[in-house]
Amino acid sequence: MPSKTSRLPRFVAGCAVTAMAVAASGLAPSRAHAEPVTLAEALSRASSLSPTLAAAEAAVTAAQGRAQQAGFRPNPELDLSVENFAGTGAFRGLDQTESTLSVGQRFELGGKRSARQRAAEAEIDAARLRLAVARADLLNEVRDAYAEAWADGRRVELARDQFVRAENLQTIATELVDAGREPPLRALRARTAALEAVGRVRATEAEYAQAQRALAALWGGAEDLPEPQAPVAEPAPSIAIDPAEALDVRLAEAEVASSVAVFDRERTLSRPDVTLSVGARQFRGTDDTAVVFGASMPIGVFDRNQGNIAAANADRTGAEARRNAALAGAIRRTRDAQAALRTAEARLTFLETRAEPEAIEAVRIAREGFAAGRFSLLDVLDAEEALNTLQSDLITAELERSQALAALVRVTETQGPTQ
């Protein structure tokens, strides 16, 4: 009767085969809705389908409508009055009725109409720059989400490679246990490592699907699962950009100009307008008619638009402060993005050219030594863990470089508003 010790390797091998069969059934996620998408296609989709850009474009159209309205003059007013009827004595009935029909026109003084138009045009400029900023922000989000999805896809591939290596290592460990060259617990440890690899595969697949949905959401794709392709390495902007020309700063400048125009508009509203009217009056008792002329003007005793002028002045001060903050922020973000890109590229170069080749070589030596009985399973597992960590760091470094590059492209964006 075989001992428990001799039965253990066969039990371990059987459990391992079963576990691997079950695990393998879940290693390949469903790709029914997956669609290969390049970065250029993702940027194009977001630019044409994003609800965020649609809202910003609608705001531009609304500003244009308000500018059109600002150019209209006040409408004339038609006035009809009937006097001296339904009274007593001689004014009983309609015999002494006086009817007056007149047309009045309010004339805006103090440059109200031109100030109103300037304020509306300034708001159009600001709305167009808000659209440009929204587009730049959206494209930056797409680049970030695309890089994140690409990295998560790489992590899935890495986890599957780790699973294959762990399965292979388990096979070797089982053979060595059966040959009596390793204690039975070594096979159990190898099986545990393989099962841990299965868990990593499933976790990375779930994270990848989440990243795909996050990317598709940027162009409104509720059910899409875009599959990022290998991104083309974009060169970093090489031309020094004046931070004052950055989109965020230009928007802040446009908002300052708009606030100044609104302040000027509110000041003109403190000046009274004149309303002139001319008409004809009919005296029914004599059938005579006469011309009626009138003029009116409000007396600026109480309401001189003081509150709105003070509010517009405060808004102007706030806009100027935001402009200064935007300029300082643009300078800081540009320097931060440049530094982050340099750091990410240096780290990526080190991992690719030195750390990864050495870790791969260490795993090869450890595996060959383990198969030959020179190293223990723990030595191989340590080398494998070091390689897994380094390859994960390599994917993270690639992601950080892509994100730093996207941030640098965003802060140096100077494309003006579309007309």
Side-chain angles (χ1 to χ4, degrees), residues 289-346:
T289 59
V291 175
V292 178
F293 176 81
S296 66
M297 174 184 293
I299 302 174
V301 176
F302 304 111
D303 181 7
R304 298 187 301 278
N305 206 37
Q306 305 98 308
N308 288 335
I309 292 174
N313 188 44
D315 288 340
R316 180 182 62 179
T317 302
E320 290 171 348
R322 288 190 295 273
R323 184 262 318 275
N324 296 336
L327 180 57
I331 295 173
R332 176 183 58 79
R333 287 191 298 272
T334 300
R335 292 174 179 173
D336 288 349
Q338 290 171 337
L341 182 60
R342 287 194 297 269
T343 301
E345 288 180 337

Coordinates of all heavy atoms in Angstrom, one line a residue, residues 289-346:
T289 N -58.8 118.7 -35.6 CA -57.6 117.8 -35.2 C -56.4 118.7 -34.9 O -56.3 119.8 -35.4 CB -57.2 116.8 -36.4 OG1 -56.9 117.6 -37.5 CG2 -58.4 115.9 -36.6
A290 N -55.5 118.2 -34.1 CA -54.3 118.9 -33.8 C -53.1 117.9 -33.6 O -53.3 116.7 -33.3 CB -54.5 119.7 -32.5
V291 N -51.9 118.4 -33.9 CA -50.7 117.6 -33.7 C -50.3 117.6 -32.2 O -50.4 118.7 -31.5 CB -49.6 118.2 -34.6 CG1 -48.3 117.4 -34.3 CG2 -49.9 118.0 -36.0
V292 N -49.9 116.5 -31.7 CA -49.5 116.3 -30.4 C -48.0 115.9 -30.4 O -47.7 114.9 -31.1 CB -50.3 115.3 -29.6 CG1 -49.8 115.1 -28.2 CG2 -51.8 115.7 -29.6
F293 N -47.2 116.5 -29.6 CA -45.8 116.2 -29.5 C -45.4 116.0 -28.0 O -45.9 116.8 -27.2 CB -44.9 117.2 -30.1 CG -43.4 117.0 -30.0 CD1 -42.7 116.1 -30.8 CD2 -42.7 117.6 -28.9 CE1 -41.4 115.8 -30.6 CE2 -41.3 117.3 -28.8 CZ -40.7 116.5 -29.6
G294 N -44.6 115.0 -27.7 CA -44.2 114.8 -26.3 C -42.8 114.3 -26.2 O -42.2 113.8 -27.1
A295 N -42.2 114.6 -25.1 CA -40.9 114.1 -24.7 C -40.8 113.7 -23.3 O -41.4 114.4 -22.4 CB -39.8 115.2 -25.0
S296 N -40.1 112.6 -23.0 CA -40.0 112.2 -21.6 C -38.6 111.7 -21.3 O -38.0 111.2 -22.2 CB -41.1 111.1 -21.2 OG -40.8 110.0 -22.0
M297 N -38.2 111.8 -20.1 CA -36.9 111.4 -19.6 C -37.0 111.0 -18.1 O -37.5 111.8 -17.4 CB -35.8 112.4 -19.9 CG -34.5 112.1 -19.4 SD -33.3 113.4 -19.6 CE -33.1 113.5 -21.3
P298 N -36.5 109.9 -17.7 CA -36.5 109.6 -16.3 C -35.5 110.5 -15.5 O -34.5 110.9 -16.1 CB -36.0 108.1 -16.2 CG -35.3 107.9 -17.5 CD -35.9 108.8 -18.5
I299 N -35.8 110.8 -14.3 CA -34.9 111.6 -13.5 C -34.1 110.7 -12.6 O -34.7 109.9 -11.8 CB -35.8 112.6 -12.6 CG1 -36.6 113.5 -13.5 CG2 -34.9 113.4 -11.7 CD1 -37.6 114.3 -12.7
G300 N -32.8 110.7 -12.7 CA -31.9 109.8 -12.0 C -31.7 110.2 -10.6 O -30.6 110.6 -10.2
V301 N -32.8 110.1 -9.8 CA -32.7 110.4 -8.4 C -32.3 109.2 -7.5 O -31.4 109.3 -6.7 CB -34.0 111.1 -7.9 CG1 -33.9 111.4 -6.4 CG2 -34.3 112.3 -8.7
F302 N -33.0 108.1 -7.7 CA -32.8 107.0 -6.9 C -32.0 105.9 -7.6 O -31.0 105.4 -7.1 CB -34.2 106.4 -6.4 CG -35.0 107.4 -5.7 CD1 -36.2 107.9 -6.3 CD2 -34.7 107.9 -4.5 CE1 -37.0 108.8 -5.7 CE2 -35.5 108.8 -3.8 CZ -36.6 109.3 -4.4
D303 N -32.5 105.5 -8.7 CA -31.8 104.4 -9.5 C -30.9 104.9 -10.5 O -31.4 105.4 -11.6 CB -32.9 103.4 -10.1 CG -32.3 102.3 -10.8 OD1 -31.1 102.1 -10.8 OD2 -33.1 101.5 -11.5
R304 N -29.7 104.8 -10.3 CA -28.7 105.2 -11.3 C -27.8 104.0 -11.7 O -26.7 104.1 -12.1 CB -27.8 106.3 -10.8 CG -28.6 107.6 -10.5 CD -27.6 108.8 -10.2 NE -26.8 108.5 -9.0 CZ -27.2 108.6 -7.7 NH1 -28.4 109.0 -7.5 NH2 -26.4 108.3 -6.7
N305 N -28.4 102.8 -11.5 CA -27.7 101.5 -11.8 C -26.4 101.3 -11.0 O -25.5 100.6 -11.4 CB -27.3 101.4 -13.3 CG -27.2 100.0 -13.8 OD1 -28.0 99.1 -13.3 ND2 -26.3 99.7 -14.7
Q306 N -26.4 101.9 -9.8 CA -25.2 101.9 -8.9 C -24.8 100.5 -8.6 O -23.6 100.1 -8.6 CB -25.4 102.7 -7.6 CG -25.9 104.1 -7.8 CD -27.4 104.2 -7.7 OE1 -28.1 103.5 -8.3 NE2 -27.8 105.2 -6.8
G307 N -25.8 99.6 -8.2 CA -25.5 98.3 -7.8 C -24.9 97.4 -8.9 O -23.9 96.7 -8.6
N308 N -25.5 97.5 -10.1 CA -24.9 96.7 -11.2 C -23.5 97.2 -11.6 O -22.7 96.4 -12.0 CB -25.9 96.8 -12.4 CG -27.1 96.0 -12.1 OD1 -27.1 95.1 -11.4 ND2 -28.2 96.4 -12.8
I309 N -23.3 98.5 -11.5 CA -22.0 99.0 -11.8 C -20.9 98.5 -10.8 O -19.8 98.1 -11.2 CB -22.0 100.6 -11.8 CG1 -22.8 101.1 -13.0 CG2 -20.6 101.1 -11.9 CD1 -23.0 102.6 -13.0
A310 N -21.3 98.5 -9.5 CA -20.4 98.0 -8.5 C -20.1 96.5 -8.7 O -19.0 96.1 -8.5 CB -21.0 98.3 -7.1
A311 N -21.2 95.8 -9.0 CA -21.0 94.3 -9.2 C -20.1 94.1 -10.4 O -19.2 93.2 -10.4 CB -22.4 93.7 -9.4
A312 N -20.3 94.8 -11.5 CA -19.5 94.7 -12.7 C -18.0 95.0 -12.4 O -17.1 94.4 -12.9 CB -20.0 95.5 -13.9
N313 N -17.8 96.0 -11.6 CA -16.4 96.4 -11.3 C -15.8 95.3 -10.5 O -14.6 95.0 -10.7 CB -16.5 97.7 -10.5 CG -15.1 98.3 -10.3 OD1 -14.2 98.3 -11.2 ND2 -14.8 98.7 -9.0
A314 N -16.5 94.7 -9.5 CA -16.0 93.6 -8.7 C -15.7 92.4 -9.6 O -14.7 91.7 -9.5 CB -16.9 93.2 -7.6
D315 N -16.6 92.1 -10.6 CA -16.3 91.0 -11.5 C -15.1 91.3 -12.3 O -14.3 90.3 -12.6 CB -17.6 90.8 -12.4 CG -18.8 90.2 -11.7 OD1 -18.6 89.6 -10.7 OD2 -19.9 90.4 -12.2
R316 N -14.9 92.5 -12.7 CA -13.7 92.8 -13.5 C -12.4 92.6 -12.6 O -11.4 92.0 -13.1 CB -13.7 94.3 -13.9 CG -12.5 94.7 -14.8 CD -12.6 96.2 -15.1 NE -12.6 97.1 -14.0 CZ -12.7 98.4 -14.0 NH1 -12.7 99.0 -15.2 NH2 -12.7 99.1 -12.9
T317 N -12.5 93.0 -11.4 CA -11.3 92.8 -10.5 C -11.1 91.3 -10.3 O -9.9 90.8 -10.4 CB -11.6 93.4 -9.1 OG1 -11.8 94.8 -9.3 CG2 -10.4 93.2 -8.2
G318 N -12.1 90.5 -10.2 CA -12.0 89.1 -10.0 C -11.4 88.4 -11.3 O -10.6 87.5 -11.2
A319 N -11.9 88.9 -12.5 CA -11.4 88.3 -13.7 C -9.9 88.6 -13.9 O -9.1 87.8 -14.4 CB -12.2 88.9 -14.9
E320 N -9.4 89.8 -13.5 CA -8.0 90.2 -13.6 C -7.2 89.3 -12.7 O -6.1 88.8 -13.0 CB -7.8 91.6 -13.3 CG -8.4 92.6 -14.3 CD -8.4 94.0 -13.9 OE1 -8.1 94.3 -12.7 OE2 -8.6 94.9 -14.7
A321 N -7.7 89.0 -11.5 CA -7.0 88.1 -10.5 C -6.9 86.7 -11.1 O -5.9 86.0 -11.0 CB -7.7 88.1 -9.2
R322 N -8.0 86.2 -11.7 CA -8.0 84.9 -12.3 C -7.0 84.8 -13.5 O -6.4 83.8 -13.7 CB -9.4 84.5 -12.7 CG -10.3 84.2 -11.6 CD -11.6 83.5 -12.0 NE -12.4 84.4 -12.8 CZ -13.3 85.3 -12.4 NH1 -13.5 85.4 -11.0 NH2 -14.0 86.1 -13.1
R323 N -6.9 85.9 -14.2 CA -6.0 86.0 -15.3 C -4.5 85.8 -14.8 O -3.7 85.1 -15.3 CB -6.1 87.3 -16.1 CG -5.3 87.5 -17.3 CD -4.0 88.3 -17.1 NE -4.2 89.4 -16.2 CZ -4.7 90.6 -16.7 NH1 -5.0 90.8 -17.9 NH2 -4.8 91.6 -15.8
N324 N -4.2 86.5 -13.7 CA -2.9 86.4 -13.1 C -2.6 85.0 -12.6 O -1.5 84.4 -12.8 CB -2.7 87.4 -12.0 CG -2.8 88.9 -12.5 OD1 -2.5 89.1 -13.7 ND2 -3.2 89.8 -11.7
A325 N -3.7 84.4 -12.0 CA -3.5 83.1 -11.5 C -3.3 82.1 -12.6 O -2.6 81.1 -12.5 CB -4.7 82.7 -10.6
A326 N -4.1 82.3 -13.7 CA -4.0 81.4 -14.9 C -2.6 81.4 -15.5 O -2.0 80.4 -15.9 CB -5.0 81.7 -15.9
L327 N -2.0 82.6 -15.5 CA -0.6 82.7 -16.1 C 0.4 82.0 -15.2 O 1.2 81.2 -15.7 CB -0.3 84.2 -16.2 CG 1.1 84.5 -16.8 CD1 1.3 83.8 -18.2 CD2 1.4 86.0 -16.8
A328 N 0.3 82.2 -13.9 CA 1.2 81.5 -13.0 C 1.0 80.0 -13.0 O 1.9 79.2 -13.0 CB 1.0 82.0 -11.5
G329 N -0.3 79.6 -13.1 CA -0.6 78.1 -13.2 C 0.0 77.5 -14.5 O 0.5 76.4 -14.5
A330 N -0.1 78.3 -15.6 CA 0.4 77.8 -16.9 C 1.9 77.6 -16.8 O 2.4 76.6 -17.3 CB 0.0 78.7 -18.0
I331 N 2.6 78.5 -16.2 CA 4.1 78.4 -16.1 C 4.4 77.2 -15.2 O 5.3 76.4 -15.5 CB 4.6 79.7 -15.4 CG1 4.4 80.9 -16.4 CG2 6.1 79.5 -15.1 CD1 4.8 82.2 -15.8
R332 N 3.7 77.0 -14.1 CA 4.0 75.9 -13.2 C 3.7 74.6 -13.8 O 4.5 73.6 -13.8 CB 3.2 76.1 -11.9 CG 3.3 74.9 -10.9 CD 2.5 75.1 -9.7 NE 1.1 75.2 -10.1 CZ 0.3 74.2 -10.4 NH1 0.7 72.9 -10.4 NH2 -1.0 74.4 -10.7
R333 N 2.5 74.5 -14.5 CA 2.1 73.2 -15.1 C 3.1 72.8 -16.2 O 3.4 71.6 -16.5 CB 0.7 73.3 -15.6 CG -0.3 73.2 -14.5 CD -1.7 73.0 -15.1 NE -2.1 74.1 -15.9 CZ -2.7 75.2 -15.5 NH1 -3.0 75.4 -14.2 NH2 -3.1 76.2 -16.4
T334 N 3.6 73.8 -17.0 CA 4.5 73.5 -18.1 C 5.8 73.0 -17.5 O 6.3 71.9 -18.0 CB 4.8 74.8 -18.9 OG1 3.6 75.3 -19.4 CG2 5.8 74.5 -20.0
R335 N 6.3 73.6 -16.5 CA 7.6 73.1 -15.9 C 7.4 71.7 -15.2 O 8.2 70.9 -15.3 CB 8.1 74.1 -14.8 CG 8.5 75.4 -15.5 CD 8.9 76.5 -14.4 NE 9.3 77.7 -15.1 CZ 9.6 78.8 -14.4 NH1 9.4 78.9 -13.0 NH2 10.0 79.9 -15.0
D336 N 6.2 71.5 -14.6 CA 6.0 70.2 -13.9 C 5.9 69.1 -15.0 O 6.4 68.0 -14.8 CB 4.7 70.3 -13.1 CG 4.8 71.1 -11.8 OD1 6.0 71.5 -11.5 OD2 3.8 71.4 -11.2
A337 N 5.2 69.4 -16.1 CA 5.0 68.4 -17.1 C 6.4 68.1 -17.8 O 6.6 66.9 -18.1 CB 4.0 68.9 -18.2
Q338 N 7.2 69.1 -18.0 CA 8.5 68.9 -18.6 C 9.4 68.0 -17.7 O 10.0 67.1 -18.1 CB 9.2 70.2 -18.9 CG 8.6 71.0 -20.0 CD 9.1 72.4 -20.2 OE1 9.7 72.9 -19.2 NE2 9.0 72.9 -21.4
A339 N 9.3 68.3 -16.4 CA 10.1 67.5 -15.4 C 9.6 66.1 -15.3 O 10.4 65.2 -15.2 CB 10.1 68.2 -14.0
A340 N 8.3 66.0 -15.3 CA 7.7 64.6 -15.2 C 8.0 63.8 -16.4 O 8.3 62.6 -16.3 CB 6.2 64.7 -15.0
L341 N 8.0 64.4 -17.6 CA 8.4 63.7 -18.8 C 9.9 63.2 -18.8 O 10.2 62.1 -19.1 CB 8.1 64.5 -20.0 CG 8.4 63.9 -21.4 CD1 7.5 62.6 -21.5 CD2 8.1 64.9 -22.5
R342 N 10.7 64.1 -18.3 CA 12.2 63.7 -18.2 C 12.4 62.6 -17.3 O 13.1 61.6 -17.5 CB 13.0 64.9 -17.8 CG 13.2 66.0 -18.9 CD 14.3 67.0 -18.5 NE 14.0 67.7 -17.3 CZ 13.3 68.9 -17.2 NH1 13.0 69.5 -18.4 NH2 13.1 69.5 -16.1
T343 N 11.7 62.7 -16.1 CA 11.8 61.6 -15.1 C 11.3 60.3 -15.6 O 11.9 59.2 -15.5 CB 11.1 62.0 -13.8 OG1 11.6 63.2 -13.3 CG2 11.2 60.9 -12.8
A344 N 10.1 60.3 -16.3 CA 9.5 59.1 -16.8 C 10.4 58.5 -17.9 O 10.5 57.2 -17.9 CB 8.1 59.4 -17.3
E345 N 10.9 59.3 -18.8 CA 11.8 58.7 -19.8 C 13.0 58.1 -19.3 O 13.5 57.1 -19.7 CB 12.1 59.8 -20.8 CG 10.9 60.2 -21.7 CD 11.2 61.3 -22.7 OE1 12.2 62.1 -22.4 OE2 10.5 61.4 -23.7
A346 N 13.6 58.8 -18.3 CA 14.9 58.2 -17.7 C 14.6 56.9 -17.0 O 15.3 55.9 -17.1 CB 15.4 59.2 -16.7

